[in-house]
Amino acid sequence: MRILFVLFFTFFINNLAHAGDFELTVYFNLGVAENHGVISCRQGGEQLDTEYHLTVFKDEPRYTMLGNLDFDHNVAGDVEQRFHCDHGDFTLQELISTEEDAINLFIYLEEIYFIKDDLYKIANVRLTSGQDYFMQEKYINKSDEPIVKTSHTEQDAISKTVASMTDEGDLLYRVEIKRK
């Protein structure tokens, strides 16, 4: 009986620890976003040094009274950079621990400005309890059509990425989630 109890307890602890640890990697290209009209530079934006946040939320994000993102609520990761509007790229790597066996993430880009910030929803991605890996890439081709590729295994993701590097157009973002 004790052996069964110890085995059950060990199984429960291992699954509990395994369920809540996720490795997140987000890449976002600001130049591609501006070139294809996903974001628009403010007047003088090409010469101005502007603050951007690439933020990942665990739940649907909340907004302040001025309509800006609330960075104190459910932020799973945040990268802040100063770039000219049409230059630069972000890479965010984060280890996220939750009590859930699945994860649902909301990814936003925020351009900080004097009066009111501009918000751009980049992606909403999720890893279900039965999955160990998820990758989503969004390309924009020469005719400004978005192409979204999703993979649920690392091998599938590697083969799609290599094939897409020349065929699909400019890479706007790549989001990868792995269960640890």
Side-chain angles (χ1 to χ4, degrees), residues 42 62-71 110-119:
R42 297 178 189 274
R62 291 188 182 173
Y63 297 90
T64 65
M65 291 179 64
L66 297 175
N68 303 324
L69 286 176
D70 182 359
F71 287 110
E110 181 176 25
E111 179 185 40
I112 307 296
Y113 198 63
F114 299 116
I115 301 168
K116 186 176 187 291
D117 302 343
D118 274 344
L119 306 173

Side-chain angles (χ1 to χ4, degrees), residues 37-129:
V38 175
I39 65 170
S40 57
C41 292
R42 297 178 189 274
Q43 190 171 8
E46 294 177 4
Q47 286 79 35
L48 294 177
D49 200 23
T50 306
E51 180 181 331
Y52 291 93
H53 284 262
L54 180 66
T55 309
V56 178
F57 293 89
K58 289 183 184 179
D59 292 322
E60 191 72 41
R62 291 188 182 173
Y63 297 90
T64 65
M65 291 179 64
L66 297 175
N68 303 324
L69 286 176
D70 182 359
F71 287 110
D72 296 327
H73 181 73
N74 287 322
V75 173
D78 181 27
V79 155
E80 175 186 340
Q81 298 282 340
R82 293 194 74 79
F83 291 124
H84 293 306
C85 184
D86 58 347
H87 296 85
D89 56 0
F90 294 92
T91 301
L92 169 71
Q93 292 183 319
E94 200 71 38
L95 183 63
I96 302 172
S97 295
T98 68
E99 296 176 9
E100 305 288 324
D101 192 28
I103 193 164
N104 187 20
L105 300 173
F106 301 86
I107 303 167
Y108 278 77
L109 178 73
E110 181 176 25
E111 179 185 40
I112 307 296
Y113 198 63
F114 299 116
I115 301 168
K116 186 176 187 291
D117 302 343
D118 274 344
L119 306 173
Y120 305 97
K121 184 174 183 180
I122 304 303
N124 178 13
V125 295
R126 69 180 49 171
L127 187 67
T128 63
S129 60

Side-chain angles (χ1 to χ4, degrees), residues 123-125 134-138 148-150 173-175:
N124 178 13
V125 295
F134 176 87
M135 186 179 79
Q136 184 177 76
E137 296 174 312
K138 185 172 187 177
V148 177
K149 296 197 174 236
T150 303
Y173 72 78
R174 175 183 299 118
V175 179

